[in-house]
Amino acid sequence: MTAPALRSPGRMALRRFLRHRLAIAGVVVLLLVVLTTVFAPLLAGHDPLKVDLSQVRQPPSGEHVLGTDGSGRDVFARLLYAGRVSLLVGVCSALLAVVVGTVLGAVAGIAGGWVDALVMRAADVFLSFPVLVVMIVIAGVLGPSITTMVVAIGLFTWPRAGRVVRGVTLSLREREYVQAARAFGARTGWLVVHHVLPAVLGSVVVVATIAVADGILIEASLSFLGLGVQPPLPSWGNMLTDAQRLTVISQMPWLWLPPGIAVAITVLSVNFVGDGLRDALDPREAS
């Protein structure tokens, strides 16, 4: 293998990422979480929606590994199936936020002038609203649902990606090859697709990981308040609803500890992966 191949940007980035121990641990944990949610029907052993009033709030046992909830439903089964919903909301809302932010940030950076000013003022407006409060208002007006939650989270968290992409684009548009393309009549859309998107891909990936973690936390908060995923469909957030009662917190930890730990571990793992990607994709880092 030739020396240039060994020093290629892709291999150097991969080498830096593999040296980031927390990021590798985050990848392993995320893979385990994804696999357990994907194969939940094989691993659960119980129907997560089946009510059994004779088994209400039973502690962990051989039949119910993590006990049962206030309706006699198996907590372990609900935990696995809840991961599907929470990850779906986090990933889909992050994708929407990143796509909207990338497009608007790239167009603002390339076009400049009043377009840039308009997009950035819109970003300032969105950033001025507390996201959780806005989500509560939207859920109250439109009604709680997964679709409403994903769209609302995505549309109110795009400014982070937009500002990152705009910053990279502003420096990129001064490069000679971009100016040459504009001199030959290249339009904004062509410049965005062929020059801006490849240049901002690394930064966007890092922002996306942060957006996934934010989406999971916002979903958990809304579901905990009863304005997110609605029972009997399980999510980590609405499984924590039982923790509002002091007797449950003190005497029945199997009802709230598993979903709480699942949220914490998943969000931490996503953030660790984001940190690793940020360091790996930073060209200033030594190989």
Side-chain angles (χ1 to χ4, degrees), residues 235-259:
S235 81
W236 290 333
N238 63 24
M239 288 181 69
L240 287 168
T241 303
D242 286 334
Q244 295 180 17
R245 291 183 285 275
L246 183 60
T247 54
V248 171
I249 295 176
S250 60
Q251 301 176 17
M252 304 174 189
W254 66 86
L255 292 179
W256 58 271
L257 269 180

Side-chain angles (χ1 to χ4, degrees), residues 115-134:
V115 176
D116 184 22
L118 180 63
V119 172
M120 288 301 99
R121 296 299 76 74
D124 292 338
V125 170
F126 279 96
L127 288 172
S128 66
F129 291 104
V131 176
L132 186 58
V133 175
V134 172

Side-chain angles (χ1 to χ4, degrees), residues 93-176:
S93 61
L95 285 176
L96 179 59
V98 166
V99 169
V100 173
T102 299
V103 172
L104 293 180
V107 171
I110 284 291
W114 67 268
V115 176
D116 184 22
L118 180 63
V119 172
M120 288 301 99
R121 296 299 76 74
D124 292 338
V125 170
F126 279 96
L127 288 172
S128 66
F129 291 104
V131 176
L132 186 58
V133 175
V134 172
M135 298 299 107
I136 292 174
V137 173
I138 292 175
V141 174
L142 300 179
S145 71
I146 293 179
T147 302
T148 300
M149 194 160 37
V150 167
V151 173
I153 294 174
L155 293 182
F156 275 88
T157 55
W158 68 265
R160 179 184 289 138
R163 286 189 163 187
V164 170
V165 173
R166 173 183 176 267
V168 176
T169 306
L170 286 176
S171 63
L172 187 68
R173 74 176 185 178
E174 303 301 326
R175 302 288 178 85
E176 290 79 2

Side-chain angles (χ1 to χ4, degrees), residues 90 93 153 157 160 209-219 267 271:
S93 61
I153 294 174
T157 55
R160 179 184 289 138
T209 59
I210 299 174
V212 170
D214 287 346
I216 293 174
L217 284 176
I218 294 173
E219 180 278 322
V267 171
N271 286 331

Side-chain angles (χ1 to χ4, degrees), residues 16-281:
R16 289 193 293 267
F17 184 81
L18 292 176
R19 286 207 300 260
H20 200 296
R21 295 182 179 180
L22 287 178
I24 297 301
V27 170
V28 172
V29 172
L30 284 179
L31 284 176
L32 290 175
V33 172
V34 171
L35 288 175
T36 54
T37 56
V38 169
F39 295 103
L42 300 177
L43 300 173
H46 294 274
D47 184 348
L49 305 181
K50 183 180 179 180
V51 175
D52 186 356
L53 297 181
S54 66
Q55 296 290 325
V56 172
R57 291 179 177 171
Q58 294 297 310
S61 62
E63 183 180 359
H64 301 284
V65 179
L66 294 179
T68 60
D69 65 6
S71 299
R73 298 170 297 197
D74 185 78
V75 173
F76 180 66
R78 290 180 65 78
L79 184 73
L80 297 185
Y81 280 88
R84 290 181 167 187
V85 177
S86 297
L87 290 175
L88 176 68
V89 172
V91 172
C92 290
S93 61
L95 285 176
L96 179 59
V98 166
V99 169
V100 173
T102 299
V103 172
L104 293 180
V107 171
I110 284 291
W114 67 268
V115 176
D116 184 22
L118 180 63
V119 172
M120 288 301 99
R121 296 299 76 74
D124 292 338
V125 170
F126 279 96
L127 288 172
S128 66
F129 291 104
V131 176
L132 186 58
V133 175
V134 172
M135 298 299 107
I136 292 174
V137 173
I138 292 175
V141 174
L142 300 179
S145 71
I146 293 179
T147 302
T148 300
M149 194 160 37
V150 167
V151 173
I153 294 174
L155 293 182
F156 275 88
T157 55
W158 68 265
R160 179 184 289 138
R163 286 189 163 187
V164 170
V165 173
R166 173 183 176 267
V168 176
T169 306
L170 286 176
S171 63
L172 187 68
R173 74 176 185 178
E174 303 301 326
R175 302 288 178 85
E176 290 79 2
Y177 61 89
V178 175
Q179 293 181 351
R182 301 186 77 167
F184 278 101
R187 297 186 176 183
T188 300
W190 190 93
L191 291 172
V192 169
V193 173
H194 290 84
H195 291 307
V196 175
L197 291 183
V200 303
L201 184 59
S203 300
V204 166
V205 169
V206 175
V207 172
T209 59
I210 299 174
V212 170
D214 287 346
I216 293 174
L217 284 176
I218 294 173
E219 180 278 322
S221 301
L222 289 174
S223 297
F224 175 77
L225 296 173
L227 296 171
V229 179
Q230 296 299 295
L233 187 66
S235 81
W236 290 333
N238 63 24
M239 288 181 69
L240 287 168
T241 303
D242 286 334
Q244 295 180 17
R245 291 183 285 275
L246 183 60
T247 54
V248 171
I249 295 176
S250 60
Q251 301 176 17
M252 304 174 189
W254 66 86
L255 292 179
W256 58 271
L257 269 180
I261 292 173
V263 171
I265 288 179
T266 303
V267 171
L268 279 175
S269 299
V270 173
N271 286 331
F272 288 154
V273 173
D275 290 341
L277 288 173
R278 180 196 60 203
D279 295 343
L281 298 172

